[in-house]
Amino acid sequence: MEQIQFAAPCLMGLEGICADELRRMEIGGVRAENGRVLFEGDFSTLARANLCSRYAERIQILLAEFPAYTFEELFQGIGKIPWENFIGEKDAFPVKGHSVSSKLTSIPDCQKIIKKSAASRLGRHYHTSWCEESGSVHQIQFLIIKNQCSVMLDTSGVGLHKRGYRQNAAAAPIKETLAAAMAELSRVRPFSTVIDPFCGSGTILIESALKALNIAPGLKRRFSAENWSVIPSEIWRQERERAVDSIRTDAEFQAFGYDIDDEALSLTMENAKKAGVEKRIRVEKRDIRDYTENFDRAAVITNPPYGERLLDMEQARELYRIMGEKFTQKQGHSYSIITPDDGFEIVFGRSADKRRKLYNGMIKCQLYMYFKNQ
């Protein structure tokens, strides 16, 4: 089979980080676009990207892109796609998608047209008048933006931010992919010490540990494409073994989580155990007013409660003021704080050395980074 084209949707603001990560996996043809990263490879690439990507939301096979102003154009475009290369005679192929600023506005009608066209081609290929759809699921996804249609096959199943360690979470948890990006932007390394004074369910601490130890985030979960008959199980076995062999068992990483909620602290350790990093994380009940540390080097990475999440704006800003007093400038220490409050720097008391626009779900935030000593 010739090279497969892939797309990795990601949170807005993470495209560059996601692209760099794929290049480090020795994946070719990587190019970042708004909200996604494109790349190319084979079935081993598919498995590796699913297992190892910390920042992608899912891995899709990009089957085709073409103009679709009418349902006939949509039908004909779908009919040119070699569905038989991926979908077996009895496999299921449900359709879902979106249309934005396009003439084809009815999603149900688009779904019916795509389903009909794909079924027609598969029927001709397998010499059958009826698609049984009792086999493995091949989720077809479409996106029509300004009359340009992109057609994908999802290979991940449940989104890649679902690592498998966080069945339970504290109130308003941060998304795993975003927490991983914060660890990357904060330059977490195998020798780092990370502190989260508002640790909640421990997502930032756990994602920092997974990164520092180079533990592939998908090792403890499964993917829909593992059930596809066209992909040999040996490929998945080899890529899992490759990921396991890459774990940094010699890393000196350690992390500390503080919170005022006993249940949150218990949840952090429960999730850390599921992720396999509980030996690297310690928790303690502590208010931000009592924050102190005596490490030579440390990276504070945190997602404090804020007005749109848990506290009203006045309470949130009181926390920012206290953080500004406690997070002092000193050699070897950095602070990364994510919040949607545009007035954060004024209340915190210092302008950030660097800011990065990120999205926590649908909420536009800024990651305020402090790393200069004076």
Side-chain angles (χ1 to χ4, degrees):
M1 183 182 292
E2 62 185 33
Q3 288 282 89
I4 303 170
Q5 302 299 312
F6 295 99
C10 59
L11 295 174
M12 295 293 290
L14 302 191
E15 297 92 344
I17 293 175
C18 186
D20 288 342
E21 172 188 54
L22 291 168
R23 294 187 185 102
R24 289 195 296 271
M25 293 183 206
E26 300 178 349
I27 291 174
V30 177
R31 54 199 188 278
E33 296 185 349
N34 285 337
R36 69 177 185 176
V37 178
L38 304 180
F39 58 100
E40 59 189 34
D42 53 18
F43 286 140
S44 293
T45 305
L46 182 157
R48 185 177 304 175
N50 270 300
L51 283 163
C52 300
S53 180
R54 302 184 192 282
Y55 317 116
E57 293 299 309
R58 57 182 61 253
I59 303 300
Q60 303 167 327
I61 297 174
L62 180 59
L63 295 170
E65 292 186 301
F66 55 87
Y69 291 85
T70 67
F71 287 125
E72 180 62 24
E73 288 179 326
L74 181 62
F75 184 90
Q76 294 300 328
I78 295 299
K80 294 177 182 178
I81 296 172
W83 298 102
E84 62 277 4
N85 287 349
F86 305 99
I87 301 175
E89 181 178 356
K90 297 183 179 181
D91 290 340
F93 50 103
V95 180
K96 65 180 180 181
H98 302 280
S99 180
V100 180
S101 302
S102 299
K103 290 186 177 296
L104 302 180
T105 59
S106 172
I107 300 303
D109 286 340
C110 289
Q111 289 174 298
K112 291 175 184 176
I113 292 294
I114 292 171
K115 183 78 172 184
K116 182 178 180 180
S117 182
S120 178
R121 174 161 180 141
L122 289 168
R124 291 194 302 273
H125 179 81
Y126 292 116
H127 306 291
T128 179
S129 59
W130 179 67
C131 296
E132 185 174 314
E133 297 200 63
S134 60
S136 59
V137 176
H138 295 60
Q139 178 67 62
I140 299 174
Q141 297 180 321
F142 69 91
L143 179 61
I144 307 175
I145 299 181
K146 295 182 179 179
N147 304 303
Q148 295 298 308
C149 181
S150 298
V151 185
M152 291 78 63
L153 271 185
D154 174 54
T155 73
S156 302
V158 177
L160 294 183
H161 69 282
K162 298 287 188 180
R163 319 293 205 202
Y165 65 76
R166 200 177 75 176
Q167 280 78 24
N168 300 311
I174 193 170
K175 205 169 189 179
E176 293 90 332
T177 43
L178 179 56
M182 290 170 64
E184 171 67 18
L185 293 168
S186 301
R187 299 182 181 276
V188 170
R189 298 293 183 263
F191 51 81
S192 294
T193 296
V194 169
I195 303 170
D196 184 355
F198 303 95
C199 68
S201 54
T203 307
I204 290 174
L205 301 175
I206 294 168
E207 290 297 327
S208 295
L210 293 176
K211 172 177 167 47
L213 276 63
N214 200 35
I215 298 175
L219 270 179
K220 291 182 177 290
R221 56 158 288 174
R222 295 288 171 175
F223 309 92
S224 64
E226 288 189 74
N227 299 317
W228 294 6
S229 60
V230 295
I231 305 180
S233 59
E234 179 68 9
I235 286 178
W236 291 97
R237 186 188 65 78
Q238 289 174 351
E239 288 300 327
R240 287 184 183 276
E241 287 181 355
R242 180 182 182 277
V244 169
D245 290 343
S246 299
I247 295 174
R248 291 286 303 268
T249 57
D250 61 337
E252 300 175 0
F253 175 87
Q254 58 181 345
F256 299 85
Y258 308 130
D259 208 289
I260 59 173
D261 185 350
D262 288 321
E263 185 177 345
L265 298 175
S266 297
L267 196 53
T268 291
M269 294 312 300
E270 177 185 331
N271 291 338
K273 186 175 182 179
K274 291 175 182 174
V277 295
E278 74 277 12
K279 293 181 180 179
R280 303 291 183 146
I281 295 173
R282 294 171 56 187
V283 297
E284 180 181 329
K285 187 173 184 178
R286 186 185 297 185
D287 192 285
I288 188 62
R289 294 170 179 81
D290 303 317
Y291 178 84
T292 182
E293 51 81 16
N294 57 0
F295 301 107
D296 292 334
R297 305 180 66 86
V300 174
I301 311 173
T302 193
N303 175 35
Y306 49 73
E308 295 181 44
R309 254 182 61 212
L310 300 175
L311 305 178
D312 63 38
M313 193 59 68
E314 185 177 341
Q315 290 175 304
R317 289 189 167 181
E318 175 61 15
L319 291 182
Y320 302 159
R321 184 191 63 77
I322 296 169
M323 291 161 63
E325 295 175 354
K326 296 293 183 177
F327 296 170
T328 57
Q329 296 170 289
K330 52 184 176 180
Q331 184 72 32
H333 287 68
S334 66
Y335 308 94
S336 298
I337 305 136
I338 191 168
T339 173
D341 188 350
D342 291 334
F344 172 81
E345 290 166 299
I346 296 174
V347 182
F348 187 78
R350 301 195 301 276
S351 296
D353 297 315
K354 190 174 182 180
R355 299 189 349 174
R356 181 81 173 241
K357 183 168 70 173
L358 299 172
Y359 282 81
N360 190 2
M362 298 300 294
I363 303 173
K364 185 176 73 173
C365 298
Q366 292 282 349
L367 181 65
Y368 297 92
M369 292 175 278
Y370 299 83
F371 45 83
K372 296 181 180 177
N373 299 323
Q374 298 294 335

